[in-house]
């Protein structure tokens, strides 16, 4: 059975490392090269110690890139768009994990990212990377742009409600609680352990860039508003989005169950988590570490038309590398769960 | 014929295209090594300052 | 290819749950029953939420146990020995994860566990469950007694030194730093979050029961002493043993490398971790969460004959369920890594 030849550009970061971990154990994949300019020639386990004994692979430089079947781009924002022609020359299919090609509208891009997009004409060539929303388009896509982690959790949590026009368009409030791995492996003043440990840090009360993706995917042609805030807490992996939406008509919890079951009943990576006993009655991000699950729960407020939707993921997995691999599986017609079977640890 | 890592004694097979002065890493202990000669294969520890994190 | 029929007795605890997680994804295993008296009839994911969507299996009662090929016993101490005949009637092969059959000497058992062993004549029928030490005996064993977690880390760390008679017999000091999952899922005063969070708790400064196993496996017929202490720290999974031994003759680090490479060079689950750059230069338990690795490092004290040996494991994996499955693989001639390929997460 011929294997798909893949390479990763920018494989020394947390996202690239997580993707490498998954690809190393994917039965249909042969890893060709993994690039890092700062670690060229070094063993990958130097920066990804969990890969000790798993591989003797070394980093190459991007200048040494050879032709391959698929190129995963795990570069800082604003890199992919500047060298996209070079990357296109390397592989017929590209999965970009940066934000460069997520937004379809160049004006929106400029508004949220503060500078003009370098190759706006290419935006329409990239399929937005949430399989649960764009599976059919992915099946014959050449270019996929993986979604942001906060956006993924928020969008998946609210998609069935917006799709069925059940909530007021301008009253949605989303509060994400996020971990330190979201910031990547670059050290900064605020990531210094004595300063970062134990914080409940309001790092993006407004204007979080991922809002743009949420608006794009939930508007369904309407003009909607999403009031998003993010707070950093003392976890490394994991992300919990608590979404407050306001129902247009009065619904029972039984109706809500049905709406989510209809939307996600057959999805391999979405679990509806809403139980009235046990320790973990609503989605719990720490249980999802290393898995590709998005757990979704909800609670109807008895005293108002507010519905609280709770959505949890591992920001490095369903929020990045896991979702990119899910898209890869769809692109090549493999079972979507291939290489993504890990069901998580408990206790953790 | 293999070179021996001066730090941990691991047997190191030099790459076919290895050249004198090239920096390589010991597969066992990860120490950065410098190729002293290709034939016979010999390496020595590359100079490296010890990072002190003052923990 | 016929599958091995296995059942787990006492599957609602952390060890039983971890073993269930591994067995569910083992290609040569068919799970027959998993028992829990308190959760009989309930879905297993009720107490093991990471298994949501992975299985619809329910707990049975031990009274409903049917014949099977292998029985894993994950019971509190002092249970297996009291019902061993019943368990022997259920399956020809038993792997016991409790402490009941670890010690070969009944007097030692009574000394460390404070009561007489109920079936001392059976002690010699159980092979002590560290594959790296007892692989040959396991190949045709019917009964295996899985080792304690603190013992496993300590024994694997020091085995090559004691085997080669390189250290003084009575001067070894071992300090284990352990996580909260070692205490199991029973709630107690000290496990209440406000009391347990952030502690550095000297919970067993002396007389830790696992010492008995360390003495048994490292004595090589001599009379040895091990001075063991355990401190609980703010982690859930993970165990780090820092061992202080005193060399009989002066050795260079290169000699120590050779000793460990000779002993463990071909072992699939032991990694020698001793690097002079990077963030993780010595073994780090959090990187091992969910893996069956035992990472071992060391440092020779330049100013004395002291050698510090550092050994890390996941107490629920190599310290319990993972090692039990490794033993199972050996018992049935499967590749030892089957079902134990997970290489861990980073960052975590």
């Amino acid at each position: 059975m011929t294997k798909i030849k893949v390479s990763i550009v920018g494989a020394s970061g947390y996202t690239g490392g997580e993707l490498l971990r998954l690809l190393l154990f994917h039965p249909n994949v042969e890893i060709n090269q993994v690039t890092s300019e700062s670690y060229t020639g070094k063993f990958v386990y130097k920066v990804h110690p969990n890969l000790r004994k798993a591989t003797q692979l070394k980093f190459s430089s991007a200048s040494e890139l050879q032709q391959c079947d698929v190129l995963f781009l795990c570069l800082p924002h604003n890199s992919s768009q500047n060298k996209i022609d070079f990357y296109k020359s390397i592989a017929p299919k590209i999965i970009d994990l940066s934000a460069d090609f997520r937004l379809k509208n160049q004006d929106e891009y400029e508004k949220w990212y503060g500078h003009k997009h370098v190759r706006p004409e290419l935006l329409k060539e990239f399929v937005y990377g949430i399989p649960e929303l764009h599976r059919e388009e992915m099946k014959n896509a050449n270019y996929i742009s993986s979604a942001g982690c906060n956006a993924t959790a928020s969008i998946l949590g609210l998609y069935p409600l917006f799709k069925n026009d059940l909530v007021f368009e301008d009253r949605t409030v989303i509060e994400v609680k996020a971990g330190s791995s979201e910031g990547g492996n670059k050290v900064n003043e605020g990531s210094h352990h004595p300063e970062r440990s134990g914080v409940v840090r309001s790092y993006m009360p407004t204007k979080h860039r991922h809002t743009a993706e949420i608006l794009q995917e939930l508007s369904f042609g309407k003009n909607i508003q999403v009031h998003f805030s993010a707070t950093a807490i003392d976890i490394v992996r994991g992300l919990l989005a608590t979404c407050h939406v306001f129902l247009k008509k009065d619904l029972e919890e039984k109706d809500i169950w049905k709406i989510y079951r209809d939307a996600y009943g057959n999805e391999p990576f979405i679990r509806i988590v809403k139980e009235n006993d046990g320790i973990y009655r609503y989605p719990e991000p720490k249980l999802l570490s290393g898995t590709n699950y998005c757990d979704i729960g909800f609670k109807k407020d008895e005293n108002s038309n507010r519905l609280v939707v709770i959505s949890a993921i591992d920001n490095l997995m369903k929020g990045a590398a896991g979702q990119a691999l899910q898209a890869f599986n769809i692109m090549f017609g493999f079972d979507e769960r291939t290489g993504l079977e890990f069901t998580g640890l408990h206790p953790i | 014929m293999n070179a021996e890592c001066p730090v941990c004694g691991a047997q190191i097979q030099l790459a076919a295209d290895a050249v004198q002065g090239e920096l390589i890493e010991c597969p066992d202990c990860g120490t950065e090594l410098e190729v002293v000669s290709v034939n016979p294969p010999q390496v020595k520890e590359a100079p490296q300052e010890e990072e002190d994190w003052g923990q």
Side-chain angles (χ1 to χ4, degrees), chain A residues 19-164:
Chain A
L19 186 59
L20 176 54
R21 172 178 73 84
L22 297 172
L23 292 170
L24 277 169
F25 292 89
H26 192 296
N28 311 92
V29 158
E30 182 199 320
I31 297 176
N32 196 37
Q33 293 163 300
V34 292
T35 81
S36 160
E37 299 322 305
S38 29
Y39 290 96
T40 307
K42 293 228 181 293
F43 288 110
V44 294
Y45 60 73
K46 277 288 181 190
V47 283
H48 306 307
N50 56 326
L51 300 183
R52 281 171 177 149
K53 216 176 175 85
T55 174
Q56 290 300 313
L57 195 61
K58 290 182 180 173
F59 289 111
S60 318
S61 156
S63 59
E64 301 161 309
L65 272 173
Q66 301 148 354
Q67 298 285 326
C68 61
D69 301 321
V70 184
L71 206 55
F72 288 93
L73 305 179
C74 299
L75 296 162
H77 299 323
N78 210 354
S79 308
S80 314
Q81 60 187 297
N82 280 298
K83 289 194 191 139
I84 190 65
D85 293 333
F86 168 61
Y87 297 132
K88 279 187 165 191
S89 73
I90 297 293
K93 291 187 187 286
I94 292 178
I95 299 178
D96 180 13
L97 282 85
S98 83
D100 285 14
F101 293 99
R102 289 178 190 160
L103 299 182
K104 297 308 146 218
N105 179 313
Q106 60 177 311
D107 300 334
E108 281 299 301
Y109 181 85
E110 190 174 343
K111 175 184 160 197
W112 288 96
Y113 287 86
H115 60 83
K116 276 199 176 308
H117 196 283
V118 172
R119 302 294 300 277
E121 78 284 4
L122 297 181
L123 288 174
K124 62 182 181 319
E125 291 187 21
F126 282 77
V127 175
Y128 186 66
I130 299 188
E132 288 77 8
L133 273 63
H134 298 287
R135 185 171 278 115
E136 291 315 312
E137 300 153 80
M138 286 182 172
K139 285 181 176 167
N140 31 48
N142 287 325
Y143 308 122
I144 293 178
S145 170
S146 253
C149 49
N150 299 310
T152 295
S154 309
I155 291 167
L156 286 173
L158 298 178
Y159 179 72
L161 302 174
F162 277 84
K163 190 175 173 209
N164 294 297

Side-chain angles (χ1 to χ4, degrees), chain A residues 326-346:
Chain A
Q326 188 183 349
F328 166 87
N329 284 337
I330 295 169
M331 223 182 200
F332 287 89
F334 299 131
D335 179 329
E336 253 176 81
R337 288 162 301 189
T338 315
L340 294 169
E341 296 85 355
F342 184 64
T343 192
L345 301 176
H346 169 263

